[in-house]
Amino acid sequence: MIKKLYLPLLMAMIVALSSCSKKMGELSSDYFTTTPQVLEAVAGKVPVTINGKFPEKYFNKKAVVEVTPVLKWEGGQVKGQPAVFQGEKVEGNDQAISYKAGGSYTMKTSFDYVPEMAKSELYLEFNAKIGNKTIAIPPVKVADGVISTSELLGNTLGSANLANGDDAFQRIIKDAHQANIMFLIQQANLRSSELKSLGIKDFNQQVADVNAAENKKISNIEISAYASPDGGMDLNTGLAEKREANTTKYLNKELKKAKVDATVDAKYTAEDWDGFQELVSKSNIQDKELILRVLSMYQDPEQREREIKNISSVYKNLAEDILPQLRRSRLTLNYEIIGKSDEEIAKLAATDASQLNLEELLYASTLTKDNAKKEEIFTKATKQFPNDYRAYNNLGNIAYQAGDITKAESFFKKAASIKDAPEVNMNLALVSLAKGEKTTAESYLGKAAGTKELSETMGNLYVAQGQYERAVNSFGDAKTNSAALAQILAKDYNKAKSTLAGVENPDAYTDYLMAILGARTNNASMLTSSLKSAIKKDSSLAKKASTDLEFAKYFTNADFLSVIK
């Protein structure tokens, strides 16, 4: 009897175990979704959120299942962070899945981006055990990847605007020479001793020299006559007016004698309170602060004079040391120094740079668009003026534009060793971004305040950090490849198209970005024409386009295939 019961029971157990084994078998990809649906590189990472489901009556009550995301490509793979789930009868701290109802779960992981991931697939791999027994669950493909458009930043940085070490060249420099004719108290006559003083002799000689010089031109001569602020207003007004008239008469006579044709502009100030305040503030006179306080408290000239005279302890010093200096006519020769012409500077830069000063030599680089000639000029500047950072910085700019990041960095660091200038730091930030060193770039940008290109470079940093909206705002209206890249990544396609159309010197990546725009906006003709132009400028982009998931829906399109063949 027992034997008869044993056999059916054994068969039932085998069937039951077999049933359980099947329920832990293959899972359909329908049970999984990913965000994003097609993986995308962001800030050097490939983030993904996986929403999965174990169906009803699938998860064995005694099972433990480890689920691992694995991104695979030809010749390599990388595993993400696994998650562990357990059946209802397993004692543990992992998420429990009901056998009867099944269960949903969410996994988040991120992979470090490498270019080979452009053509890859995301799988979930399962390690399932019931007790000590391993259950085979086949891997499930859950997504394709990776859209790597953000990684184009490394290519678009080549067209970024660098910070130049600008020259301070001025073709016309305004200069002036001054002299004073002093008067005795309450007098307006010009004394012989004053007219024969070294100051006036020197002034007259300066007028003659400037008038005779080929590279100088007199603008005008100003006469400003003053009376000191002691005495009545009517008296001082008459004195100042007479001092102006007498000085003007004298100056016109001297100009006529020297045969100098110059405009004379004359004026007088009855009481020179401004001059008084300046002299007092620079002096060590007793009660100086009290006097200055009186000047700030009272605006009426007579009130000021009364209050200052009331400070009896100091008024004698004012009368002896300050007031006499205000009884004067000030002569000012205003003139222009006219520098070398563009033709002279360009010629000397090429033939005899030693005849140019630093500002002229740096300015010479702006007179040519030939980078080879610019490089020659900056090299001469580093030899003639080795203690100025600007030529080294500008040599770094030329190397950067030529794609030689290592050489550019060397020049920038040499410039920085001379002066830690904002524009040098901004350029070093661009170098750091080109090398993928975002933290270093951010540090350099912290010392680049005041450079006009700072916002644009910050935009590049934000793209590298995956902050696309912030990057768009930082770029503003800049017409560069990087600005357009930020706009594409932020899905502002109209603005991106306008930006690309405005790039001053479009290159292969300008066209490649326009092709991406065509793909994203379903404009096949824009895609093919732009991609054709890009490949003509850089043939390596044909291979890139063939695996770029931006163009996935065109992979079987005849026009697309004819362009990348």
Side-chain angles (χ1 to χ4, degrees), residues 11 15 49 78 120 153 180 221 239-240 309 334 364 382 470 472 483:
M11 291 299 294
V15 170
T49 300
V78 62
S120 58
L153 178 66
N180 286 319
I221 300 176
L239 275 173
K309 284 183 175 179
N334 295 307
T382 62
R470 197 171 182 184
V472 169

Side-chain angles (χ1 to χ4, degrees), residues 24-45:
M24 292 297 291
E26 184 175 357
L27 286 167
S28 168
S29 61
D30 293 338
Y31 289 117
F32 304 94
T33 60
T34 63
T35 303
Q37 290 183 332
V38 179
L39 305 188
E40 186 170 353
V42 179
K45 301 284 185 180

Side-chain angles (χ1 to χ4, degrees), residues 257-289:
K257 186 192 305 182
K259 297 181 180 180
V260 173
D261 183 14
T263 300
V264 176
D265 296 316
K267 64 179 182 179
Y268 65 88
T269 300
E271 296 187 346
D272 188 10
W273 285 107
D274 290 339
F276 178 81
Q277 183 172 348
E278 180 182 354
L279 290 174
V280 170
S281 64
K282 291 179 179 179
S283 72
N284 295 318
I285 199 167
Q286 182 182 352
D287 293 327
K288 177 173 74 173
E289 297 304 324

Side-chain angles (χ1 to χ4, degrees), residues 24 98 143 159 182 266 274 304 319 387 451 455 556:
M24 292 297 291
S98 168
S159 63
M182 307 305 296
D274 290 339
R304 281 178 167 180
N387 295 323
T451 55
S455 291
T556 59

Side-chain angles (χ1 to χ4, degrees), residues 170-173 214-217 336-340:
Q170 290 179 277
R171 188 173 316 283
I172 296 177
I173 300 173
E214 291 185 4
N215 67 330
K216 295 178 182 179
K217 179 182 178 182
E336 296 175 344
I337 303 172
I338 303 169
K340 300 178 181 70

Side-chain angles (χ1 to χ4, degrees), residues 164-170 358-360 362-366 390:
N164 200 54
D166 292 332
D167 64 86
F169 174 73
Q170 290 179 277
L358 174 59
E359 305 308 330
E360 290 171 333
L362 292 176
Y363 174 72
S365 70
T366 68
R390 289 172 292 175

Side-chain angles (χ1 to χ4, degrees), residues 13-24 57 60 99:
M13 290 178 64
I14 291 171
V15 170
L17 287 171
S18 175
S19 175
C20 288
S21 177
K22 287 180 180 178
K23 290 182 184 298
M24 292 297 291
K57 297 181 180 180
N60 188 289
Y99 167 72

Side-chain angles (χ1 to χ4, degrees), residues 160-226:
N161 290 311
L162 296 113
N164 200 54
D166 292 332
D167 64 86
F169 174 73
Q170 290 179 277
R171 188 173 316 283
I172 296 177
I173 300 173
K174 295 183 181 298
D175 207 346
H177 183 79
Q178 291 186 339
N180 286 319
I181 297 176
M182 307 305 296
F183 296 90
L184 296 176
I185 187 171
Q186 295 186 9
Q187 292 186 21
N189 59 297
L190 299 178
R191 293 175 293 158
S192 176
S193 59
E194 283 297 306
L195 299 182
K196 293 179 180 179
S197 68
L198 290 176
I200 296 302
K201 285 183 178 180
D202 182 57
F203 182 85
N204 290 334
Q205 186 61 51
Q206 283 285 342
V207 171
D209 290 345
V210 170
N211 185 65
E214 291 185 4
N215 67 330
K216 295 178 182 179
K217 179 182 178 182
I218 296 175
S219 300
N220 71 336
I221 300 176
E222 296 178 13
I223 297 173
S224 298
Y226 302 90

